[in-house]
Amino acid sequence: MEKRSSFKGSIGFVLAAAGSAVGLGNIWRFPYLAARDGGGLFLVIYLILALTFGFTMLTSEVAIGRKTKNSPLTAYSQIKKGWKPLGIISCIVPIIIMPYYCVIGGWVLKYLVAFITGNGFKAAKDGYFGGFITDQWWPIIFFAIFLACCAFIIFKGVNSGIEKSSKIIMPALIILVLIIAGYVLTIGYTDPDTGVKRTSLEGLKIYVVPDLQNATVKQVFNVIIDAMCQLFYSLSIAMGIMIAYGSYVSDDSNLAKSVNQIEIFDTAVAFLAGVMIIPAVYVFMGKEGMQASGPSLMFVTLPRVFKSMGWIGNIIGALFFFMVFFAALSSAISIMEAVVSSFMDQFKTSRVKATTIETVLAAVVGIVVCLGYNIWYFEVNLGSVKGGQILDLLDYVSNNVLMPISAIGTCLLIGWIVKPKTVIDEVEKNGEKMGRKILYKVMIKFIAPILLIIILLKSFNIDVIDLVEKLF
Ligand code: PFF
């Protein structure tokens, strides 16, 4: 068996984990939710949740990884005999996510190539995105290239692959975000049809100024739930990733400090993504344009926004899709590592073998996902998914069902079975003090499981607020 690798320094770990956390969710969902959910109100609630709920879950997973020096599949049973099923769920989640995340990575690559080759404005045409994803071959080709990039980095291992690439990707990503956000804040546009002038600063206001007009208690609760679901996904919690990365953290590094840095990084990039996207969409598309999120925001609305910018839009579009490509790649390698490290630990096999198996597995399922828009087209209606395709089905099962279950399992194990002290001792192993200790104990035992149950019920279309209203 190969000797377990470790990150060379804590900065390598922080950048790799932040690379995992900063992904498509930060770019295509966070800004949209903030603009929809009362601007600054959402931002404040998100920040509070990050420092409490996010901090608790992230600390627990990284500590489980470092304490056991095991990957998600085998770590839980090392913490407590008989908890292997939780490890299995934690390993199934990244196995399911990897193929479809790479399919989306392929879409990003396609748009990047379009903008780099000066064809970006074609993407603004009606039906361009639909035409691309329903094509039989091109989505598979771009998916295969994206998957190959991930496999290449994972083959190279923890230091020469993950750590090294994160040290290049993450600073580049930040620079790109700052350039684009800086440019966006200077723009304004007069609508030729209505003669109305809109400026980016007005758009920025919608994003950051708390909108408390007509805010009822129920609405605030809804904002809290939205922020919680977003945070849970954004920090890459319950995907097995933070356990895998935690297992490569050296024993003498300061865990508490690293966890804070990861949270700050992730939240800062999510916030800046909003500074980049919301004013731009508002200026060129008005408030109606701001209704889009997810793939339709990224692959339909934004190309139109770039086109409206004139010639410079091609450059901004290329920089933007470069940035998104980096964000998606660093997340995809983390999810692949969660699977590869699990295979290595469970089957005592080499990195080369484990990576090859996972690449083949992801390739087969990814092709099925691509064909789900073409020859295997069918509509899925399940839980909160209405009329989705194979990709939406995999996304639903992993994100909405298995991830909350896995996180609830972690809370039960740490909070009630082996007790929070297990994690606290791991964090304080080198004599450093873990801040927010009481908060951690209360969160992991009581509040986090309740919040996770609310998230899980939402997946089954059960609105807890409505339920409470009916009961009382
Ligand atoms: N934090 C990531 C994001 O916001 O996109 C979540 C993620 C998804 C990480 C998929 C890794 C991954 F493969």
Side-chain angles (χ1 to χ4, degrees), residues 326-354:
F326 283 156
L329 183 66
S330 54
S331 293
I333 59 173
S334 71
I335 206 100
M336 190 172 205
E337 181 61 22
V339 181
V340 167
S341 64
S342 292
F343 288 173
M344 285 170 71
D345 287 346
Q346 176 69 46
F347 306 112
K348 311 270 180 273
T349 183
S350 69
R351 173 166 290 276
V352 174
K353 264 195 202 146

Side-chain angles (χ1 to χ4, degrees), residues 55 58-59 62 254-264:
F55 149 80
L58 200 55
T59 306
V62 177
N254 187 329
L255 265 197
K257 200 165 139 203
S258 300
V259 165
N260 284 340
Q261 288 168 343
I262 297 164
E263 280 187 309
I264 293 170

Side-chain angles (χ1 to χ4, degrees), residues 20-26 97 101 233-236 239 241 266 331-332 334-335:
S20 170
V22 174
L24 296 169
N26 299 56
I97 295 179
Y101 205 77
Y233 184 75
S234 190
L235 283 177
S236 303
M239 297 180 177
I241 296 171
D266 183 53
S331 293
S334 71
I335 206 100

